């Protein structure tokens, strides 16, 4: 079961398009959300809050927050393509995100991993002056 | 018609999973390929060669090569998450890629754009010591 | 006709020094401006506004804004030398900029390209505590 | 006397175009050279060797090498626009460079500074598949 | 006498632990301070202010400020590990810093160098949700 | 017990200087090593090999390799200060490294974390043309 692929599909597809993947989604925990902002802090915060509220990660355990945080940052590298301080660059993002938690390896001891995917648009803060963007981050949890 | 989404699906899904999207694919030109290497030069080269051979871009016109090159680099930022010199970092990538060319905007004058997506694994050059990775780059052409 | 060289000269030289290059400037469209700020957003905005007002690029067509935006970002990499989030780093820039649009290639089909050059100072927000900086970005349009 | 502006002009202009600036060049020490390579190491090495051979910096004193090295790296950030590992990215550069050493500040105690400028082309290792690039680095020495 | 090592120890150890290194500290000038912020500007400013107030560098001479500034930036690369725009990333730092000025080389002409070290924590702005971080920057002055 | 501080001290101090910290070292697992190279791959490989041979991490479990790998990369950001492709930049490093594994948090569930520290010199491949450098990376394991 590939948590990264599932996260990408969850962030990219609408409900109808997701139907063929429903069975694979039964093996993982996941949550969805949206974040639209010129400010990367707000995007990070939206993902962390969603993942905690929907109990994908435990609010009590720092190592889970740490794992999620680095997975978010890695996914944002894809979204911003090396310009992670993008909020300062006059760009607005309109993103759908997915967080998926599961066991992608068969070997004993590999345990749980987390995937964060973003898909949406990035561009000037004017409708139409934007193009698609996406990113995926993976971490052990 | 979203060229980025189509590129992501082409790079991520197998043939059977792609069936529901066949109709959308009729409106664009695209090519697929694979690249497995510790060396980003070879990955870039594999995409450029495939896109030229399958006539997604013209070999004769530098501006098309320039547009594709920057789209590849942006997609590789997602794949390597800020460490684009990844070949020097002991990582091996095994990637499927898709290049999609189409007209994503309705407005007159927006013309053609190009999307490059990668999906696969990145990790130590040992099977199993790797996790998923992906990237998407978009440019006007 | 080298649009990058002309952009660099326009940003760097004063009127008198530019005189010998007047003839070459007849073959291109260009605009000039100034931006002084601790905030890269304002620098980007100043260039975009000048280029649109002086009709170097069309306000109606996103692909022209997209081309200019990436040329600006590339030029700012030179200005900030890898620290593009420079506004957050207590630095102030005082920059003259030039945007040049023209046809640098003889081959048919290469069409128009755009060059953005910055030249000025970067340093602490105190006069004299600063040194020269410059940057050049080039893109197909 | 602006050492950065002089370095930029030395790297960008041909002999005839430089004539009006001859007087300003009397106040500084400078050297010129060329470097064409897919490999940033060779570019750095070409500049260091030229600057030492033409006695712009002392071969004996590490602090001068250190100052020049960081000025070169800063200039290469402009040349490669954030992709300093460019040799790994299938790009070839054909660059003219200038190193200028002088006293740009009137205040006592500011002493000598060094400027490194590059100007040339970057692109695929095929003639014509390339565009202009430049960079400027400044350091105290 | 290694100014980098001394800066690291000054930033990392408490008074008692520093006792064995007292003798080595006699050969250098140094100052200590603390900076806690989500904002890198404030961290840079805290170090610059401390170094000037305690006369490790001269407030009058730009080249000393320039040298210190680049040493701080290099040290912050270690603290933020490539995400220097960290203040925008919802992270808070709680840092102890040390600035050391001395003559690390025996050779004549190498003169004075400066070292900046940070040690502390980085993490979410919630106590306990953080881990250690450090960084070291060195420059000729 | 601070694993990052211990890693820094292990990498920086000689045996005699380490004596006062012996007791704290009893609570963690650690290993030491040296790596001297112009090539970051070899540095990464040296740390991975040492940590596996001395059983700081398990060779069988990918998640431990993944955790160590990212901790090494974060530490190398400090060593190379944003130029992680440093091997391509004509620099040679001579580094001592330490890997420390322990439980830095009191809370239940935080489990084990890993710290990687480097300390040594970076510079031209000529003795004496180099200065100190260090880096620290921390990860949950
Ligand atoms: Mg990873
Ligand atoms: Mg874009
Ligand atoms: Mg280009
Ligand atoms: Mg500077
Ligand atoms: Mg240095
Ligand atoms: Mg961390």
């Amino acid at each position: 079961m590939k948590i990264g692929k599932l996260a990408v599909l969850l962030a990219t597809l609408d409900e109808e398009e997701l139907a063929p993947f429903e069975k694979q989604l039964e093996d993982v925990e996941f949550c969805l959300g949206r974040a639209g902002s010129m400010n990367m802090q707000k995007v990070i915060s939206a993902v962390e809050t969603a993942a905690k509220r929907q109990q994908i990660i435990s609010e009590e355990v720092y190592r889970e927050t740490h794992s999620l945080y680095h997975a978010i940052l890695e996914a944002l590298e894809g979204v911003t393509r090396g310009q992670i301080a993008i909020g300062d660059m006059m760009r607005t993002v309109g993103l759908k995100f997915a967080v998926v938690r599961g066991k992608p390896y068969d070997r004993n001891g590999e345990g749980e991993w987390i995937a964060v995917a973003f898909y949406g648009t990035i561009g000037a803060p004017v409708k139409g002056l934007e193009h698609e963007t996406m990113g995926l981050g993976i971490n052990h949890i």
Side-chain angles (χ1 to χ4, degrees), chain A:
Chain A
M1 189 258 331
K2 296 189 157 161
I3 60 174
K5 180 176 167 180
L6 290 178
V8 167
L9 296 176
L10 284 164
T12 312
L13 302 181
D14 63 31
E15 230 171 295
E16 197 183 335
E17 293 166 329
L18 271 171
F21 303 98
E22 246 173 46
K23 203 144 182 208
Q24 289 176 60
L25 287 168
E26 282 168 17
D27 296 335
V28 296
E29 293 169 83
F30 69 90
C31 72
L32 298 174
R34 280 180 191 283
S37 177
M38 283 185 76
N39 185 302
M40 285 304 112
Q41 279 191 52
K42 287 189 188 151
V43 175
I44 295 172
S45 190
V47 182
E48 289 190 345
T49 304
K52 286 177 177 173
R53 257 196 216 146
Q54 300 181 47
Q55 290 167 314
I56 308 303
I57 68 163
S58 159
E59 228 166 322
E60 317 283 286
V61 190
Y62 171 48
R63 63 186 287 124
E64 301 212 344
T65 301
H66 184 255
S67 176
L68 177 62
Y69 177 72
H70 282 278
I72 295 169
L73 275 198
E74 293 201 355
L76 286 176
E77 294 272 4
V79 169
T80 62
R81 286 143 294 131
Q83 303 292 344
I84 214 168
I86 206 74
D88 284 354
M89 295 298 131
M90 293 191 53
R91 298 300 96 172
T92 294
V93 292
L95 298 169
K96 194 176 154 199
F97 63 80
V99 183
V100 175
R101 180 179 183 152
K103 298 188 175 178
Y105 299 94
D106 294 332
R107 265 193 314 275
N108 262 346
E110 293 302 0
E112 287 182 305
W113 291 63
I114 201 158
V116 175
F118 292 102
Y119 170 76
T121 56
I122 192 164
V126 174
K127 204 181 141 39
L129 303 193
E130 68 210 0
H131 60 63
E132 290 162 279
T133 189
M134 81 167 305
L136 172 64
I138 307 255
N139 211 353
H140 62 285
I141 199 163

